[in-house]
Amino acid sequence: MTRDGIALKADLLGKKYGGRGQGWALRECDFALPTGRVCALVGPNGAGKSTLLALAAGLLRPTEGTIEAPDREHLAYVAQDKPLHPRLTVADTLRMGRELNPGRWNDATARRVIADTLDPEAVVRTLSGGQRTRVALALALGKRPELLLLDEPMADLDPLARHQLMGLLMADAAEHGTTVVMSSHILTELEGACDHLLLLHGGRIRLDGPVDELLAAHTLLTGPVADLAPHTVVESRTTGRQLTALIRREGPVEGPWETRDPSLEDLLLAHLRTTEGAPA
């Protein structure tokens, strides 16, 4: 934990990559993630999600601004490529995790992730992508981190394995109060698991806050084409004389509208489809 109940905090955070054709991956990012939250990190390809997670893990240094996170002893990071030693067996890999994390390692948790699915004597280089994912998650959870950073963790898994591991991950986080930041393109995977949202677009934070508060602030409406002021229109589509729009409310919604509460998928897709996003 950083301070005052905040697990991860960024102040005017920016990261610029050198070289021709490269530029700012992140710019002027401000957020403070409370401890114990399960945060969905969402954005299109190239939005800066992996860069933000690598900065939080201490693998990159900011070009400008600051990011505060627990030290490496209390943090675990699973990258997209799941880097593991190819010549070690699964059992040796978990043994290495135990020896590198004395006093914190929980062998039962690590073995629960691979139970009944992997041969402990299997060599890492012979494993499939999904099997490597299980080993990487076993290492991360076995460390008992305060902050768990996951970059597209379930992409290599089949739907059944993804459902199983997501359930195990959420149960473990709830039991131990672990703060989780998880990047994913599978929106339905995030809907039932995450209670906080960070949406990146163009290297900047477009939405930040508890999921229930963000959903409560938005309304989906359908009706005749009309002026929607003073509300912020996130996205609108017109078919003939019929308007469908997602708005961020600025007071009561008045007019001949049919309204409904958006789902998390409605909210994310609308903000991802618009080029500028709504004010954070």
Side-chain angles (χ1 to χ4, degrees), residues 13-16 51 54-55 58-65 67:
L13 178 66
K15 178 62 181 177
K16 186 176 184 181
T51 296
L55 285 164
L59 300 179
L60 295 175
R61 290 187 177 183
T63 305
E64 62 182 19
I67 186 164

Side-chain angles (χ1 to χ4, degrees), residues 73 93-103 105 139 143:
E73 181 182 353
T93 301
L94 297 188
R95 189 177 301 117
M96 179 185 67
R98 182 175 65 248
E99 292 177 359
L100 291 175
N101 297 279
W105 182 258
L139 282 175
K143 188 178 180 179

Side-chain angles (χ1 to χ4, degrees), residues 69-106:
D71 58 40
R72 291 189 181 183
E73 181 182 353
H74 299 95
L75 178 150
Y77 171 52
V78 178
Q80 283 190 35
D81 55 357
K82 320 292 191 310
L84 298 168
H85 197 295
R87 296 186 180 181
L88 293 182
T89 66
V90 173
D92 288 338
T93 301
L94 297 188
R95 189 177 301 117
M96 179 185 67
R98 182 175 65 248
E99 292 177 359
L100 291 175
N101 297 279
R104 295 192 61 84
W105 182 258
N106 189 298

Side-chain angles (χ1 to χ4, degrees), residues 22-274:
Q22 294 183 304
W24 291 96
L26 293 173
R27 198 75 193 268
E28 297 178 344
C29 291
D30 283 307
F31 66 87
L33 178 64
T35 186
R37 295 297 182 97
V38 178
C39 177
L41 178 61
V42 184
N45 291 332
K49 303 185 297 298
S50 294
T51 296
L52 177 57
L53 290 172
L55 285 164
L59 300 179
L60 295 175
R61 290 187 177 183
T63 305
E64 62 182 19
T66 61
I67 186 164
E68 298 178 50
D71 58 40
R72 291 189 181 183
E73 181 182 353
H74 299 95
L75 178 150
Y77 171 52
V78 178
Q80 283 190 35
D81 55 357
K82 320 292 191 310
L84 298 168
H85 197 295
R87 296 186 180 181
L88 293 182
T89 66
V90 173
D92 288 338
T93 301
L94 297 188
R95 189 177 301 117
M96 179 185 67
R98 182 175 65 248
E99 292 177 359
L100 291 175
N101 297 279
R104 295 192 61 84
W105 182 258
N106 189 298
D107 204 55
T109 298
R111 292 189 179 279
R112 190 160 62 244
V113 178
I114 65 169
D116 302 322
T117 59
L118 290 177
D119 177 3
E121 298 308 313
V123 179
V124 165
R125 69 168 177 265
T126 68
L127 301 180
S128 68
Q131 290 172 326
R132 289 170 61 90
T133 293
R134 280 188 178 272
V135 178
L137 286 172
L139 282 175
L141 289 175
K143 188 178 180 179
R144 278 279 173 265
E146 294 178 7
L147 176 63
L148 178 58
L149 306 170
L150 303 172
D151 195 356
E152 296 285 345
M154 310 294 180
D156 295 326
L157 297 170
D158 62 72
L160 181 60
R162 191 160 58 235
H163 178 77
Q164 178 195 32
L165 276 182
M166 182 63 75
L168 190 154
L169 174 64
M170 293 303 102
D172 189 81
E175 180 181 354
H176 299 283
T178 309
T179 306
V180 181
V181 181
M182 179 170 58
S183 165
S184 178
H185 287 296
I186 306 172
L187 301 186
T188 53
E189 180 177 272
L190 303 173
E191 182 123 31
C194 299
D195 56 15
H196 198 96
L197 175 67
L198 276 174
L199 189 147
L200 278 171
H201 192 291
R204 298 175 188 264
I205 301 291
R206 299 299 184 183
L207 282 176
D208 169 28
V211 169
D212 55 354
E213 292 183 11
L214 291 173
L215 290 175
H218 289 76
T219 296
L220 271 171
L221 53 81
T222 304
V225 177
D227 183 9
L228 291 172
H231 309 293
T232 300
V233 179
V234 177
E235 182 191 42
S236 65
R237 288 167 288 174
T238 303
T239 305
R241 298 181 180 181
Q242 190 85 348
L243 175 72
T244 301
L246 178 74
I247 64 169
R248 188 158 186 164
R249 296 190 309 277
E250 303 293 339
V253 177
E254 299 178 351
W257 306 105
E258 293 182 13
T259 64
R260 70 176 178 89
D261 296 329
S263 66
L264 180 59
E265 186 173 10
D266 292 330
L267 181 72
L268 291 175
L269 287 176
H271 278 278
L272 289 171
R273 280 192 293 252
T274 185

